[in-house]
Amino acid sequence: MSMIQVTNLTFAYEGSYDTIFENLSFQIDTTWKLGLIGRNGRGKTTLLKLFLGEYPYQGKISANVAFDYFPFSVADPDAPALEAAQDASDGCPDWMLRRELSRLEIGEDSYYRPFSTLSMGERTKILLAALFAKENRFLLIDEPTNHLDQPARRLIGDYLAGKQGFLLVSHDRAFLDRCTDHILSINPEDIQIQKGNFSSWQENKRRQDQFELSQNEKLKKEISRLSSAARQTSQWAGQVEKEKYGSQNSGLRPDRGFLGHKAAKLMKRAKVTEARQQAAIAEKKTLLRNVDEADGLKLHPLAWGKSGPLVRAEGLSL
């Protein structure tokens, strides 16, 4: 067992003032089957490229394993599929490569066909087999289910479930559930790693969001109450301070010592209430940092009268 350690990772694209990552620190066990999730634009593929050293960055990424990326281009697309896989697997023993191909149900009749003539699904399987045939590697797998039908997705999901040591990007939730045991989520404010598959992460996220939303509502009410209380106490203190000097027309001499003590006490109470209010506001700011909000979907269908056909086609061929 070894670890991939990321320390104070900061990255921004050249010419951009906005950072994609800022002072991120986390560690990954190289035996994990890790799913990488996050909304589009959060930097999933960018993170994979940083692991590969393709972009300059600040901070440190340390690992005692090599990284391989999927998908990749084969050197000679017109070469036989088996030969292309052998080249991609860095000359690993032929029997190991054939074992991986067999597990992905690639028949021997496909071995000698030009790689470029294979279906996208077959290419995906051959490239994955070539990578997993290599040793001491940590795989960075980016959207492997593109171009795959459901049976192929299940097959590759089961194949990955029997492996270890990869970071998988996918928007297919069922696929992530099938083959991952940890989830790394890129959030608006941080990166979090949880044990479990996508469904368990989603349930934990739902509970956390629900808790933060309820706490936020409580704090909003508390801030409003404290603000009103502080304002009222301050007004009382000001009124007492006026009474301290009495009315010019009353001719009465008020007990200034008592009233001064009372005014000071009320002012102190107002300051304590205000401090509690500021503390509640500060606590409120720590909530909802990672609660994703989406704008409502609005559809504006075109008006259609029933006076004529909606679609007319003549001589249509498909």
Side-chain angles (χ1 to χ4, degrees), residues 108-120:
E108 290 196 15
D109 58 324
S110 299
Y111 290 2
Y112 307 104
R113 290 169 51 196
F115 181 83
S116 59
T117 65
L118 300 178
S119 69
M120 295 302 295

Side-chain angles (χ1 to χ4, degrees), residues 23 25 36 46 56 69 71 109 136 141-142 193 235 249 257 259 310:
N23 294 324
S25 297
L36 175 58
T46 300
Y69 180 79
D109 58 324
N136 199 34
I141 307 173
D142 197 357
I193 298 178
Q235 290 174 354
N249 299 324
L259 292 177
L310 181 62

Side-chain angles (χ1 to χ4, degrees), residues 1-298:
M1 180 185 72
S2 61
M3 306 298 293
I4 299 167
Q5 186 73 46
V6 178
T7 308
N8 296 327
L9 177 64
T10 299
F11 172 77
Y13 284 104
E14 186 176 356
S16 173
Y17 293 102
D18 297 324
T19 56
I20 305 298
F21 304 117
E22 187 166 359
N23 294 324
L24 293 181
S25 297
F26 58 93
Q27 61 182 18
I28 298 171
D29 190 314
T30 55
T31 65
W32 286 350
K33 308 165 188 179
L34 197 64
L36 175 58
I37 62 174
R39 283 195 171 184
N40 289 337
R42 291 260 171 87
K44 298 187 295 297
T45 298
T46 300
L47 181 61
L48 302 188
K49 299 291 188 180
L50 290 173
F51 279 130
L52 293 168
E54 295 189 7
Y55 301 136
Y57 60 86
Q58 295 178 346
K60 186 176 180 181
I61 299 175
S62 58
N64 57 4
V65 294
F67 295 101
D68 278 331
Y69 180 79
F70 172 94
F72 60 92
S73 300
V74 300
D76 183 5
D78 294 324
L82 181 60
E83 183 179 320
Q86 289 169 336
D87 290 342
S89 61
D90 289 342
C92 76
D94 186 66
W95 67 268
M96 293 179 63
L97 179 58
R98 289 175 180 265
R99 179 191 62 191
E100 300 304 320
L101 291 170
S102 176
R103 288 174 175 172
L104 285 166
E105 299 182 3
I106 296 294
E108 290 196 15
D109 58 324
S110 299
Y111 290 2
Y112 307 104
R113 290 169 51 196
F115 181 83
S116 59
T117 65
L118 300 178
S119 69
M120 295 302 295
E122 289 174 314
R123 296 184 199 181
T124 295
K125 294 175 184 179
I126 288 174
L127 296 182
L128 284 174
L131 294 181
F132 276 108
K134 299 160 72 172
E135 295 183 343
N136 199 34
R137 294 292 202 278
F138 190 84
L139 269 57
L140 309 172
I141 307 173
D142 197 357
E143 295 289 359
T145 57
N146 291 345
H147 316 295
L148 299 182
D149 58 17
Q150 286 300 327
R153 291 182 183 214
R154 287 192 293 269
L155 173 63
I156 292 180
D158 291 339
Y159 175 77
L160 291 178
K163 299 297 182 179
Q164 62 181 22
F166 59 81
L167 181 59
L168 167 68
V169 178
S170 178
H171 288 88
D172 187 331
R173 300 177 179 186
F175 186 75
L176 287 169
D177 277 349
R178 186 176 290 271
C179 60
T180 59
D181 58 17
H182 286 76
I183 294 293
L184 189 158
S185 58
I186 302 180
N187 305 316
E189 297 293 332
D190 58 19
I191 279 185
Q192 296 177 352
I193 298 178
Q194 291 186 24
K195 185 177 181 180
N197 59 19
F198 178 84
S199 291
S200 63
W201 171 87
Q202 187 178 43
E203 177 60 21
N204 290 336
K205 179 79 163 59
R206 184 192 66 78
R207 291 178 180 179
Q208 180 66 26
D209 289 355
Q210 190 175 47
F211 170 76
E212 291 195 5
L213 286 168
S214 65
Q215 286 295 104
N216 189 61
E217 287 302 313
K218 289 180 182 178
L219 285 171
K220 283 168 63 177
K221 294 177 181 178
E222 179 71 2
I223 291 168
S224 177
R225 185 186 68 80
L226 290 171
S227 181
S228 177
R231 187 166 53 250
Q232 186 67 53
T233 305
S234 181
Q235 290 174 354
W236 288 343
Q239 185 65 34
V240 171
E241 188 68 19
K242 290 180 181 178
E243 293 175 1
K244 175 179 175 181
Y245 297 97
S247 170
Q248 293 181 351
N249 299 324
S250 65
L252 299 175
R253 299 184 61 185
D255 186 342
R256 293 185 177 180
F258 169 76
L259 292 177
H261 174 72
K262 184 177 179 181
K265 193 172 181 180
L266 287 171
M267 287 300 296
K268 183 178 179 181
R269 182 188 299 177
K271 289 181 179 180
V272 169
T273 305
E274 184 179 358
R276 287 173 57 196
Q277 176 190 349
Q278 293 303 318
I281 291 172
E283 183 180 353
K284 186 173 180 290
K285 289 180 179 179
T286 66
L287 299 174
L288 309 182
R289 297 182 310 144
N290 289 323
V291 176
D292 283 317
E293 295 182 356
D295 294 332
L297 177 64
K298 295 182 180 179

